[in-house]
């Protein structure tokens, strides 16, 4: 009776196991390469996402710092924090000049504040213009107050007129609840502020216009009187003319003919 040898089957099993291990290693290496290329390919997107999140966080941080500094009358600190909002502010580009202008107004740098707020108004859209218009009108009103304090009522009235125009051109949508929610000062009623500003500006403008003196009429200059020399000369000419007329009249009575000379 012969015994069946198991060597061929063992060798075959060993070969299969080795082939499977090699295939597994090759598959793992392939997956690692794929993951590596995916990581390399998505690296820019990952960095962009991180920068985006960082930018959002920095925007809110700078905005919070600007508001906090303004509340405690640290206008220089508020302005510095607002400048931090300028870099790559795609979503709310008006916010940086708006906060800068508001801080400058607090520091009584009114011309600079007006320039920044006018820039913010150009960049604002939709309901964003509401709070910008109110602050811009208030800054121009303070320019008018400063002009009146310096004794220039005409300039003050002009500033009040400009502020009144900006206020009256505020869109009707600014009276809505959505506009109130977007206000930079939720405790300030936007519609009431607008109405109070309009009434105050009208009163100030009217007061300055009433105080302006009427234009003085030029004094009538008296006609120059002739001198005595001129009067004597005129008198002699009149007497000479009378003598000539008398002579002509005597000639006509004597039958002479001729043409009278004009005189």
């Amino acid at each position: 009776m012969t015994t069946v040898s198991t060597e061929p089957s063992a060798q075959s099993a060993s070969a299969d196991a080795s082939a499977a291990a090699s295939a597994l290693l090759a598959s793992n290496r392939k997956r690692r390469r794929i993951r590596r290329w995916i990581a390399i390919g998505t690296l820019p997107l990952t960095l962009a996402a991180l920068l985006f999140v960082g930018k959002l966080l920095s925007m809110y941080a700078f905005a919070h710092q600007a508001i906090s500094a303004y509340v405690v009358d640290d206008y220089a600190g508020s302005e510095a924090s607002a400048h931090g909002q300028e870099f790559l502010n795609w979503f709310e580009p008006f916010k940086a000049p708006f906060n800068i202008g508001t801080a400058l107004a607090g520091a009584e740098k009114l011309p600079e504040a007006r320039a920044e707020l006018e820039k913010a108004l150009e960049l604002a859209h939709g309901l964003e213009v509401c709070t910008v218009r109110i602050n811009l009108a208030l800054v121009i009103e303070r320019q008018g107050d400063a002009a009146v304090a310096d004794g220039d009522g005409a300039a003050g009235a002009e500033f009040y007129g400009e502020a009144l125009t900006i206020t009256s051109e505020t869109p009707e949508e600014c009276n809505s609840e959505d506009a109130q929610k977007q206000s930079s000062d939720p405790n300030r009623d936007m519609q009431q502020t607008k109405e109070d500003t309009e009434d105050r500006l009208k009163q100030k403008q009217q007061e300055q216009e009433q105080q302006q003196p009427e234009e003085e009429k030029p004094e009538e200059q008296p006609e120059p009187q002739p001198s005595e020399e001129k009067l004597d000369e005129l008198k002699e000419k009149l007497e000479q003319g009378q003598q000539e007329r008398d002579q002509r009249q005597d000639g006509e009575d004597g039958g002479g003919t001729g043409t009278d000379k004009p005189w």
Side-chain angles (χ1 to χ4, degrees), residues 43-55:
L43 182 60
L45 296 177
T46 304
L47 292 175
L50 291 174
L51 289 174
F52 175 75
V53 173
K55 177 59 181 175

Side-chain angles (χ1 to χ4, degrees), residues 13-257:
S14 176
D16 292 342
S18 177
S22 298
L24 181 61
L25 290 173
S27 178
N28 289 337
R29 284 194 296 268
K30 185 177 181 180
R31 282 197 292 268
R32 283 196 297 269
R33 285 196 299 268
I34 292 173
R35 285 197 295 268
R36 184 164 55 247
W37 283 112
I38 290 175
I40 294 173
T42 57
L43 182 60
L45 296 177
T46 304
L47 292 175
L50 291 174
L51 289 174
F52 175 75
V53 173
K55 177 59 181 175
L56 288 179
L57 293 175
S58 66
M59 284 173 53
Y60 285 114
F62 283 126
H64 178 72
Q65 291 174 3
I67 295 172
S68 299
Y70 185 86
V71 170
V72 297
D73 298 338
D74 181 11
Y75 303 120
S78 178
E79 180 187 353
S81 298
H83 277 293
Q85 298 178 270
E86 292 179 310
F87 181 68
L88 298 178
N89 194 347
W90 300 302
F91 303 100
E92 295 177 316
F94 82 98
K95 272 295 181 69
F98 173 77
N99 288 336
I100 294 172
T102 303
L104 290 170
E108 295 299 327
K109 298 178 181 179
L110 299 180
E112 295 88 346
R114 177 175 179 174
E116 290 293 332
L117 290 172
E118 287 175 343
K119 187 191 302 182
L121 186 58
E122 294 176 358
L123 297 173
H125 299 284
L127 297 178
E128 296 171 347
V129 305
C130 304
T131 187
V132 179
R133 279 188 173 274
I134 288 178
N135 278 18
L136 178 57
L138 293 175
V139 167
I140 298 177
E141 179 185 3
R142 289 170 66 177
Q143 284 186 296
D145 294 341
V148 172
D150 291 338
D152 193 349
E158 185 175 350
F159 280 124
Y160 296 145
E162 292 176 2
L164 186 59
T165 299
I166 291 172
T167 306
S168 61
E169 291 178 353
T170 301
E172 188 64 28
E173 293 77 9
C174 293
N175 298 329
S176 64
E177 293 183 2
D178 292 336
Q180 181 64 36
K181 292 177 182 178
Q182 293 190 21
S183 174
S184 59
D185 185 0
N187 296 324
R188 180 177 63 181
D189 186 272
M190 190 170 294
Q191 182 176 1
Q192 188 63 44
T193 301
K194 175 179 174 293
E195 294 175 355
D196 292 344
T197 302
E198 285 183 338
D199 294 340
R200 189 172 60 250
L201 287 169
K202 289 178 182 179
Q203 182 178 357
K204 288 183 178 181
Q205 185 182 33
Q206 186 177 7
E207 289 176 355
Q208 295 307 315
E209 289 176 350
Q210 290 177 349
Q211 291 179 6
Q212 296 304 313
E214 295 182 359
E215 295 184 1
E216 297 182 357
K217 296 182 178 180
E219 296 182 359
E220 296 182 357
Q221 298 294 333
E223 295 183 359
Q225 298 294 329
S227 62
E228 293 184 0
E229 183 179 353
K230 290 289 185 180
L231 291 173
D232 293 340
E233 183 178 351
L234 181 61
K235 183 178 180 181
E236 290 179 1
K237 289 182 178 180
L238 290 174
E239 292 177 350
Q240 184 178 358
Q242 184 64 38
Q243 291 176 359
E244 291 178 354
R245 285 195 297 273
D246 293 342
Q247 290 175 359
R248 284 197 298 274
Q249 186 175 2
D250 292 342
E252 290 176 358
D253 292 341
T257 59

